Amino acid sequence: MMIARIFRQIWNTATALTLAALVCAVVLVLAIGAAALLGYPPLRVADLWLHGAAGSWYSLSSSCADACPLLLTGLAAGVAFRAGVLNIGAQGQFLMGALVAVALSTRMMIFHQPALVIATALTGGALAGGIWGLIAQYLERYRAVPVVLSTILLNFVALYLVAAALQGPLQAVGTAAAQSPEIAGKYWLPLFVPYTDFHIGIILAFMLSVLLWVVQERTVFGFESHVVGLNPDTAKAMKMPVAWRQFQIMFISGGCAGLGGAIQVLGQVHFMTAHMGDYGYAGIAVALLGRLNPLGIILSAVFFGFLDTGAFRVEESSLALPHDLADVIKAVVILVMLVLAGISLRRSRRAAKSERTTSAETPSA
Amino acid sequence: MNTAPNMITFLSRQTVTAATPMILAGVGELVGELSGVINIGIEGSMLMGCIAAYTVTGVTGHGTAGLLAAMVTGMVMAVIFAAATVWGRADQIVAGTAMDLLGVGLSGMIWMMYQNWRENLGFSTALPHGSGFSPLAIPLLRDIPFVGPAFFEQYLLCYLTICLCVGVWWMLNHTRLGLIIQALGDAPEACHAAGVRVRLGRSMCLLFAGTCAGAAGAYLSIMQTHAFAADMTGGEGFVVLALVIFGRWKLPGLVGGCLFFGLINSLQQTLQTARYTSQNSVLHALTHVPFQFFQMLPYLAAIAALAVMSRNSPGPRYINIPWPSAKT
Amino acid sequence: RAAAVKGQLRIALICSGSVTDGGWNQEGKNAILAVKKKLHAHVSILEHISPVRAVDVMRSYAMRGYNLIIGHGYEFLIPATEVAAMGGKTRFAVSGADTTKPGVLTLNFDLAQPSYQLGILAAMLSKTGKIGFIGGEAIPSVVACYRGFAAGARSVNPKIKVAEAYTSWDQPALSKSQAQAFIQQGIDVIYQNVDAASRGVFEAVAQANQSHGAPVYVFGSNSDQNNNPTCSRYTPASAVIRLDRAFLRVARAVQQGTFKPGVATENLRNHVCIVVLNPRLVGSVITPAMQKAIARAGRELLSGKVHVKP
Amino acid sequence: MATLPPALRLSEIQKSFNGVPALDGVSLEVAAGSVHGILGENGAGKTTLMNIIAGLLRPDSGSMEIMGNAAPVGSVRESRAFGIGMVHQHFKLADNQSVLDNIVLAVSKSLWSRRGRGVLQNIDYWCRELNWTLELQKPVRELGVGQQQRVEIIKALCGGGKILILDEPTAALTPAEVDELSSAVAGLANAGMTVLFISHKLQEVTRMCRVISILRRGKLVYSGGVAGLSMQQIAEKMVGAKVDVPRLVQPLGHAESRVLLELQSVDYRIGKREPPLLSQINLRVHAGEILGIAGVDGNGQSELAAVISGTVDPVAGRIMRSGAARADAPANSACIPEDRHKEALVPALPIVSNLLLRKYRHRPYVRWGFCRFGKWRTSAAALMRQYDIRSRGIDDAVCTLSGGNQQKVVLARELSDAPEWILAVNPTRGLDVGATAFVLRQLLDARARGAGIILIHGDLDELLSVSDRVAVMRGGKLLATPWPQFTRELIGRMMLAGA
Ligand SMILES: Nc1ncnc2c1ncn2[C@@H]1O[C@H](COP(=O)(O)OP(=O)(O)OP(=O)(O)O)[C@@H](O)[C@H]1O
Ligand SMILES: Nc1ncnc2c1ncn2[C@@H]1O[C@H](COP(=O)(O)OP(=O)(O)OP(=O)(O)O)[C@@H](O)[C@H]1O
Ligand SMILES: [Mg+2]
Ligand SMILES: [Mg+2]
């Protein structure tokens, strides 16, 4: 029985993967078409794109390093959405996390032992993101300001706050730029494959998503937060601590995004400006594409990371594909993939269902 | 020159000018969301509207042609979005992100190609003289003190937007079409049972929204300024999304929110200036405040306003749920 | 296509924004294309690179044997330092930064000097005693503009009021409304450094001049914006960075093996950062007295008699 | 007289969902001008069949003829053009819109006009005919289920047409309202309209219809006259087995056993200025008795249930639960709420999760914060067997179950842990005969075990058949009935007096 279930799951995953591969093929053809229209040799574009995204250890590491912040902001959105907390504020939480991490690893260092500095900076970043998120949850609980809205607005507030801090207390010495000091090399996140971008932040992010998957799928906390998200009235009737769970979830969600910011500065960028990319907004799409499942979010984050990294490789190649055209191709790829994935998912689900009905025994008919 | 009435007139005029594109795009987005489809890619549609209006005006020399082109472009973007979400059941948020990217990329591409083309021909990329729109004063009304210069010396599209708002408000509240649109997002099964074609209805709403977003883009590029710049919408599309929620999915609320936002922004800009130019010592003390705090003022004000009003509204229930749905 | 010719100089330019922005980035692109023409170099340009991505793309260029990588913007300084530290033959230059880092040549465009001259002009042009500056963002080359501008104006009229505001690089509508707020407050000379959004400022000035009695003037920056199509009659001068000269010098140094990391301050002295007056306004709007004052300020700046903190 | 073509002829209608047949070759003829009853268990396929007729669903195969003309299937517009109107079992109402707007939305043809005078007159006509009052401007979400049911019916009647489908229209109506509806339906039939009538209450069907059709598991098992069939026979045809309707044999005397729940002068209102929704409620439930509470829908029953279950706090008065004034209901109480989708189930989650919602956090279902799904599954499987929940497996989402089975999920969860006292609100609404019997039997079993039960129920017959004592809610007040001489007539009078 158990084995059969596992087998069926694997089987379903396999069909899903086959379908995904098919989808990728179709997408590729389409992307190629778009490029061809403007006179770029389509096959070369596709080849460079794929190669640039995953052709070598090195490019693989770039893709993963780019997927890492996306993964964490994706987790932030996914965890929250699953519990019905519409946190659109990963961008602001990401920035606050990065800011605090930079502060803790440059100006306000409590320790000087590298491991301790890294640990405090990561923790501080996560806490900052979480607390920034809690503001929104507080506003919803006590002032009836919808979280969807306050988080959007707080993103802008965070952006300007960060800019002000980078031009004020956190500004690097000797420059007029809104820019933090550089983090000293010994406080960078160590690499686990030298001469690549594989820093341990990536491992951390992957481990965190597995951990969150376990929490969501296996613990009472995860179960309760899912029920709270699906039907808060029932949750209340079942005496679940609805508001408390929402606060906790918001804290975890904001914490993920904040940790993303911290890892980004400690592992990848090593200093901070107000332009830290829009990983927070992209995380929403990542989460939804991953169907709010932490493992699915890994896949979709890596997908987006590949898409981005590949694009840069095509742009800087001798083809000199314009950045804007690369954007267009990315958009088309995402759109087509969405529709095709929707179709194939419904197919496989239907197939799984009918297969289940034929095999399962109906109790006492 | 620096008298109070002057200042009030100036601020209200700036407010209306700045709010118009947000209201325009917001009305479309509102109708779309009421019908159950959230399009977070309006920014992309607006940008496409900007570039279409700019290039067509630049080539033909007629602003009206540019405006029409922008509307058609917005509609085309809406067709793509509707095909993906309404008919292809794609997740609306992810698809919206892609639409945003598409708009940014395509408009940038077109701008680059347009520039190259014009320069190769030896033309300027600027709009031919007099081809964009300039403010259109309404003869008698403009002479009303304060109100006149503020509200009746605006661009053509501003007046059209006012008409559109009144029309859409009337449509939503006084016609069966309005009932249908709201039911599409709140109870599509009721529409289905009444013989209304849900997906067709939603597509129509999206087309309307796209047209509005395109026109808002045209406003930015050939009316308010006569310029195009890559990403010239600068996040306005996202602010519009927030303002639709801010207005609790009601048209007056949305318009109020846009005006409020426009007002705080022009106030903020004036304040930033006045702290250097005015004699007032309080204002002068503000010179030590980092300018970023002025920039975040509109957002803080919006949060504060919400916290004071303290009312939540869930919005249309079927947003981002494709039809036919499995929801109970 | 562009198969690498052996011994050909290979240069990469990395821009933070769009190369169609009509300002900083577009000038960078034009400059590097000029270098390409002069030195028959191979050139690759990347746009929309955030500091987050900079290390990745620079390293990728370095690995493919590019001789020179120019990070066009202060935010590329630290990434360039990082990649330079990895070794290799690639040379790194960063334009628009104001500090130095090991292994990287910083091109510090001291716009403060021409801005000082513009400040003098502004103070002499202003009837109201109020002038203003609009920047896209508070980055070194922009802040330098403001500082020089204010210092120059105060050297003429110590009581002059100099307003300062920042909007964004790519929103003409926003910079237009900021300029209108300036004008409404009585400011009649505006100095802007907002790249693609400058069209908005020009619009505001043009509109103000249509309705106003007293004229409102605007200064351009980075490139020569004196003959902008919107209000060239009210644009008496621009502070110009002649990027092509700077880039050419760096590229030559790389080619000849004389490249040295450090800081190269580009200013009036080497004719990279200069004031360009609008020839159509010289003699009318710009009086001989003004011209003289500008020239004197130039001499004082060169002799070190006047020093503007960048 | 030439034989008229049948109003409706269905031939070989086949429909399956995800490969499971819901309708298996149904052929049916409905004579013009008749009231035709459709009967069947929960999940037999009645609603599916009706939806196909009304065009909401497209059958896999089969054809339809209306008045002898072939009618296209699968389009609501076409079906409406052929004069088919329907009252939906699951109300197709837009919650946030007013009653009038809902009717206009469904009935009117113009895109623009919203205040069609014709519509208003039509509503007025039918309200007078049925002796109902509708608050036209009120948003539907503020209406009780009974009121919503009326809106749904009026909506269909206003649509006009020649064939009217009523899918469980009486599930949420009081007996008096049912009488009015049935006379109105008879009037319609006399005027030439054809009515298809679905109900789980056999008395209603036999009273109103001459002809009935019975579906069992997607197949038509009987179609013909109702005369000569006893209720028991009909029930057997539906279920395929004999059905015993449980009834309380020996009502308890004056309760002397322990008081489990006591309300003392409880008041409840929403705003300070609003009229009270509950006033001066005094009530006692003893161990081993069923206290029935009757009343016309909307007289405070929902508020009473909310106060008892602890979801809202009363404005004044005391609630003693198990003898103590505790803030919330203790674990050994059970609640079967009125709206199971809203308050008792998480429809998107599988059956096993829904069955464990009360005890998932207690031993042995949890260890160190981790769910022990193995234990969950054995417990759920046992409950499914015990309560005869029919589905393909415990991993099916609850929303894919039929209403009867969903109700059984709630019952199984709430009753399985031998609760001390039970609050049940309309527990059999919409359930078929078999399931109704099952639910009532469960309540009686709990009573026999010594539990105290408050049964708030709209179906007076069922209420009377199982209650020890009955009280009546009217206008937010609880009226005690003289024990033990309560009769149907007396209670009916009390429910309506002064109204
Ligand atoms: N949308 C659907 N998706 C999947 N299965 C469905 C769907 N609608 C109905 N079914 C299946 O079809 C069968 C018949 O359902 P139907 O609603 O017609 O029953 P019913 O006779 O109306 O029951 P009830 O008396 O409870 O109203 C059910 O067993 C159900 O499993
Ligand atoms: N998403 C779905 N997937 C599969 N089946 C569904 C789905 N939604 C509804 N159904 C089926 O539709 C039928 C009607 O739904 P419902 O659950 O309301 O049962 P019901 O008995 O007709 O309702 P009631 O609660 O009034 O008794 C059910 O039999 C159910 O199996
Ligand atoms: Mg049914
Ligand atoms: Mg039912």
Side-chain angles (χ1 to χ4, degrees), chain D residues 210-255:
Chain D
R210 296 267 169 63
V211 189
I212 57 168
S213 298
I214 299 178
L215 287 173
R216 193 192 316 153
R217 306 207 170 181
K219 286 205 167 66
L220 191 68
V221 292
Y222 177 82
S223 191
V226 78
L229 287 177
S230 72
M231 301 264 186
Q232 201 46 255
Q233 280 170 311
I234 297 176
E236 267 185 53
K237 281 190 195 303
M238 283 165 60
V239 184
K242 209 160 147 11
V243 182
D244 293 322
V245 176
R247 129 180 317 282
L248 188 60
V249 199
Q250 181 131 50
L252 214 58
H254 194 75

Side-chain angles (χ1 to χ4, degrees), chain B residues 326, chain D residues 18 42-43 47 89-90 168 340 399-404 406 430:
Chain D
N18 305 326
N42 288 125
T47 302
Q89 175 186 12
H90 299 274
E168 299 194 26
R340 54 179 171 252
C399 64
T400 64
L401 296 182
S402 82
Q406 291 182 359

Side-chain angles (χ1 to χ4, degrees), chain B residues 228-247:
Chain B
F228 180 83
D231 288 340
M232 70 183 290
T233 44
E236 204 154 285
F238 288 98
V239 174
V240 166
L241 286 174
L243 287 173
V244 171
I245 309 172
F246 184 93

Side-chain angles (χ1 to χ4, degrees), chain D residues 41-48 89-90 167-168 198 200 430:
Chain D
E41 280 185 291
N42 288 125
K46 306 180 292 293
T47 302
T48 308
Q89 175 186 12
H90 299 274
D167 193 353
E168 299 194 26
I198 299 179
H200 288 299

Side-chain angles (χ1 to χ4, degrees), chain B residues 170-180 182-183 186-187 189-197 317 326 328, chain D residues 55-56 76-77 80 88 92-97 101 104-106 108-115 341 347 399:
Chain B
W170 181 80
M171 186 270 289
L172 286 178
N173 290 293
H174 294 281
T175 69
R176 181 165 168 263
L177 181 61
L179 290 179
I180 291 176
Q182 290 168 60
D186 231 23
E189 69 282 353
C191 286
H192 181 55
V196 176
R197 299 181 60 187
R317 282 185 300 169
T328 37
Chain D
L56 271 81
V76 181
R77 287 161 165 260
R80 279 159 69 97
H88 297 277
K92 310 250 183 230
L93 297 173
D95 276 2
N96 289 326
Q97 294 180 2
D101 288 348
V104 169
L105 176 69
S108 180
K109 300 231 159 28
S110 148
L111 267 190
W112 302 111
S113 132
R114 176 146 167 196
R115 218 167 299 300
H341 280 182
C399 64

Side-chain angles (χ1 to χ4, degrees), chain C:
Chain C
R1 281 197 196 196
V5 181
K6 200 153 167 67
Q8 191 190 25
L9 187 66
R10 288 157 67 83
I11 309 175
L13 178 75
I14 296 172
C15 299
S16 57
S18 160
V19 293
T20 57
D21 66 354
W24 177 254
N25 293 307
Q26 192 157 12
E27 284 304 304
K29 174 188 148 193
N30 292 340
I32 208 74
L33 291 183
V35 171
K36 170 182 174 161
K37 228 179 195 167
K38 273 240 171 68
L39 304 184
H40 303 289
H42 166 84
V43 161
S44 173
I45 303 172
L46 269 192
E47 347 165 43
H48 291 288
I49 302 295
S50 71
V52 176
R53 271 302 191 158
V55 169
D56 177 41
V57 294
M58 285 186 180
R59 202 174 34 190
S60 166
Y61 275 127
M63 277 169 38
R64 281 179 299 126
Y66 272 72
N67 308 88
L68 172 62
I69 298 175
I70 303 178
H72 193 42
Y74 75 96
E75 63 266 63
F76 298 119
L77 183 59
I78 294 176
T81 318
E82 252 176 58
V83 184
M86 292 173 189
K89 280 189 290 218
T90 309
R91 306 298 184 178
F92 292 86
V94 170
S95 59
D98 53 355
T99 50
T100 55
K101 291 275 172 193
V104 178
L105 173 68
T106 300
L107 298 173
N108 181 9
F109 296 112
D110 189 5
L111 267 181
Q113 292 190 343
S115 301
Y116 183 86
Q117 291 171 295
L118 285 184
I120 289 171
L121 181 58
M124 295 175 82
L125 279 172
S126 173
K127 303 262 183 307
T128 56
K130 295 174 185 174
I131 59 177
F133 172 81
I134 304 179
E137 213 180 317
I139 64 172
S141 53
V142 173
V143 175
C145 285
Y146 169 70
R147 290 202 180 131
F149 186 62
R154 293 208 177 97
S155 75
V156 174
N157 173 5
K159 283 217 286 283
I160 199 162
K161 295 192 186 311
V162 189
E164 177 193 16
Y166 295 89
T167 52
S168 105
W169 297 118
D170 45 17
Q171 284 173 270
L174 204 60
S175 53
K176 179 178 179 184
S177 60
Q178 181 64 61
Q180 284 174 326
F182 272 12
I183 296 166
Q184 204 273 336
Q185 294 276 311
I187 285 171
D188 61 353
V189 183
I190 300 173
Y191 179 25
Q192 56 79 18
N193 188 341
V194 289
D195 287 357
S198 59
R199 284 275 188 82
V201 183
F202 293 138
E203 285 261 333
V205 170
Q207 263 181 26
N209 284 318
Q210 268 167 25
S211 53
H212 260 244
V216 177
Y217 295 105
V218 59
F219 294 149
S221 62
N222 292 349
S223 57
D224 181 356
Q225 294 180 317
N226 291 339
N227 54 359
N228 69 78
T230 318
C231 69
S232 62
R233 282 190 304 140
Y234 296 94
T235 314
S238 299
V240 174
I241 306 178
R242 287 152 85 179
L243 277 174
D244 47 347
R245 280 167 160 258
F247 284 1
L248 190 62
R249 199 151 358 94
V250 179
R252 281 233 167 90
V254 171
Q255 204 170 31
Q256 293 156 4
T258 56
F259 178 95
K260 258 201 209 78
V263 64
T265 304
E266 310 281 356
N267 51 19
L268 281 180
R269 188 178 305 282
N270 48 19
H271 301 286
V272 172
C273 294
I274 55 167
V275 165
V276 176
L277 296 180
N278 188 340
R280 275 170 297 173
L281 300 184
V282 173
S284 53
V285 173
I286 308 173
T287 60
M290 294 177 187
Q291 270 183 292
K292 243 179 247 158
I294 292 174
R296 192 177 53 238
R299 283 194 302 277
E300 285 172 357
L301 286 165
L302 282 179
S303 68
K305 196 166 150 203
V306 178
H307 178 73
V308 193
K309 199 174 140 252

